């Protein structure tokens, strides 16, 4: 049986090699090739790194378990193979109590560990900001998005809004990004989004933010976070919601506070003020016109 000193000398180079490999990894590799990170390691929101950490560490544990399991399978297949001249069945063991306890306790510990870390991170993600810097209502509809910037008035009298239409492919098959509904967010400001649906179940997904949440008719969900990096991010509906589900796209622009204020001022100048529910009936008709939101975008 190898001595403890030999085991330490065997483990030491493995640890050094692992450290060298990890030190050479890019932020993209260290975050499990998930979106939401730049080469300098900056994250898209204050929660993105936490979600990535749960993902990467779970895979490390699972791969370690897999390597051990595959190694034991290969060892048993080689060490207890039938040798030349042998016949019949090998000696049959009815049970091995230490091994049975081992493969019962270890999976239980793993399941409890995964549950504990997931519950911890989910609690943080689901904790809503009581007094956010920005309050927004995002409304899903077949098959586009409306966004209302609620302002500070409790009755939404100072709110401004924008109505979107579903994505329409251009002549070459690409999507006209400029025509997509766009949600503006100020960088480094706490944001609380009220998620609503006008018809069926939708799911609000900003891909680089590594989070999505369902939207139900008659029920309001909330999402609180802080965008930490300026840029344009892709969003989509992540719940199959009908014929044109794949066209239910939107963009998110994280901008400076001054640019965000200028955008709200432009909506106010365009007359998109007040509660959006007063400007949108069940048929999707825009106020003062006979056209629907889909027809307006054509």
């Amino acid at each position: 049986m190898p001595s403890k000193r030999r085991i330490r000398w065997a483990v030491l180079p493995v640890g050094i090699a692992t450290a060298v490999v990890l030190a050479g990894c890019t932020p993209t590799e260290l975050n499990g090739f998930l979106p939401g990170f730049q080469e300098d390691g900056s994250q898209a929101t204050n929660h993105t790194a936490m979600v990535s950490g749960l993902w990467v560490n779970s895979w490390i544990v699972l791969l370690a378990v897999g390597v051990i399991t595959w190694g034991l399978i290969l060892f048993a297949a080689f060490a207890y193979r039938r040798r030349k001249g042998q016949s019949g069945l090998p000696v049959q063991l009815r049970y091995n109590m230490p091994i049975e306890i081992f493969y019962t306790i270890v999976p239980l510990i793993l399941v409890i560990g995964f549950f504990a870390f997931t519950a911890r991170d989910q609690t943080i993600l689901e904790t809503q900001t009581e007094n956010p810097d920005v309050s927004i209502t995002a409304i899903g509809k077949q098959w586009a998005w409306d966004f209302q910037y609620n302002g500070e008035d409790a009755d939404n009298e100072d709110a401004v809004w924008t109505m979107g239409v579903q994505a329409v492919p251009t002549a070459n098959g690409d999507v006209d990004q400029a025509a997509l509904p766009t949600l503006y967010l100020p960088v480094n400001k706490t944001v609380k989004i009220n998620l609503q649906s006008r018809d069926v179940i939708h799911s609000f997904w900003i891909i680089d933010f590594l989070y999505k949440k369902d939207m139900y008719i008659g029920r309001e969900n909330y999402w609180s976070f802080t965008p930490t990096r300026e840029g344009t991010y892709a969003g989509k509906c992540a719940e199959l919601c009908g014929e044109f589900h794949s066209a239910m796209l939107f963009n998110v622009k994280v901008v400076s506070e001054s640019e965000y204020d200028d955008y709200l001022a432009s909506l106010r100048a365009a007359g998109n003020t007040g509660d959006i529910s007063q400007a949108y009936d069940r048929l999707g008709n825009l106020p003062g016109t006979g056209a629907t939101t889909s027809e307006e975008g054509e």
Side-chain angles (χ1 to χ4, degrees), residues 2-285:
S3 67
K4 293 183 178 179
R5 178 174 295 180
R6 290 183 178 178
I7 293 175
R8 285 198 297 268
W9 280 110
V11 171
L12 183 61
V14 174
I16 294 175
T18 302
V20 170
V21 170
L22 292 176
C25 290
T26 65
T28 299
E29 294 166 338
L30 289 174
N31 287 289
F33 298 94
L34 292 175
F37 298 90
Q38 288 189 326
E39 288 304 315
D40 60 1
S42 60
Q43 57 180 334
T45 76
N46 61 321
H47 292 153
T48 308
M50 180 181 67
V51 177
S52 167
L54 181 63
W55 168 265
V56 172
N57 291 325
S58 296
W59 270 108
I60 290 175
V61 173
L62 293 173
L63 287 174
V65 172
V67 169
I68 294 172
T69 303
W70 299 328
L72 291 174
I73 291 173
L74 292 174
F75 168 77
F78 178 80
Y80 300 105
R81 71 190 186 280
R82 173 173 289 182
R83 266 82 172 180
K84 186 177 180 180
Q86 290 182 333
S87 61
L89 295 174
V91 176
Q92 302 295 297
L93 298 177
R94 301 181 69 175
Y95 61 87
N96 185 303
M97 190 61 68
I99 292 180
E100 291 187 15
I101 292 175
F102 175 80
Y103 67 59
T104 301
I105 296 299
V106 170
L108 181 62
I109 292 174
L110 290 174
V111 170
I112 292 174
F114 283 130
F115 175 82
F117 286 109
T118 302
R120 179 201 64 183
D121 292 353
Q122 183 175 344
T123 299
I124 296 173
L125 285 169
E126 291 299 325
T127 299
Q128 304 304 325
T129 304
E130 292 298 327
N131 297 298
D133 297 321
V134 174
S135 175
I136 296 171
T137 299
I139 303 171
K141 60 187 182 183
Q142 293 178 313
W143 289 270
W145 305 88
D146 297 338
F147 301 116
Q148 176 174 294
Y149 305 85
N150 295 327
E152 299 179 358
D153 186 271
D155 297 324
N156 289 330
E157 292 182 359
D158 63 342
V160 293
W161 48 261
T162 178
M163 291 185 182
V165 296
Q166 69 192 57
V168 178
T170 58
N172 60 3
D174 295 332
V175 173
D176 184 3
Q177 295 292 324
L180 292 181
T182 301
L183 172 64
Y184 276 72
L185 301 174
V187 69
N188 294 325
K189 296 294 182 180
T190 56
V191 175
K192 185 176 183 179
I193 301 181
N194 179 0
L195 301 171
Q196 301 179 11
S197 172
R198 291 201 186 278
D199 34 52
V200 299
I201 298 177
H202 300 287
S203 186
F204 187 78
W205 183 22
I206 304 175
I207 299 170
D208 281 20
F209 290 10
L210 302 184
Y211 191 74
K212 58 185 176 183
K213 200 162 188 177
D214 284 351
M215 313 163 81
Y216 305 92
I217 187 169
R219 174 180 171 180
E220 297 179 354
N221 273 342
Y222 293 89
W223 177 20
S224 296
F225 61 94
T226 302
T228 55
R229 191 181 71 231
E230 294 186 25
T232 301
Y233 305 93
K236 60 175 65 177
C237 177
E239 180 77 27
L240 183 59
C241 57
E243 183 178 3
F244 297 103
H245 161 71
S246 61
M248 196 169 171
L249 309 175
F250 66 99
N251 284 327
V252 177
K253 287 185 178 293
V254 178
V255 298
S256 65
E257 185 176 6
S258 60
E259 188 173 349
Y260 176 77
D261 291 337
D262 290 342
Y263 176 70
L264 298 192
S266 69
L267 295 180
R268 191 167 289 108
N272 296 358
T273 59
D275 193 335
I276 194 172
S277 62
Q278 303 299 319
Y280 192 108
D281 64 22
R282 292 290 297 169
L283 297 177
N285 293 323

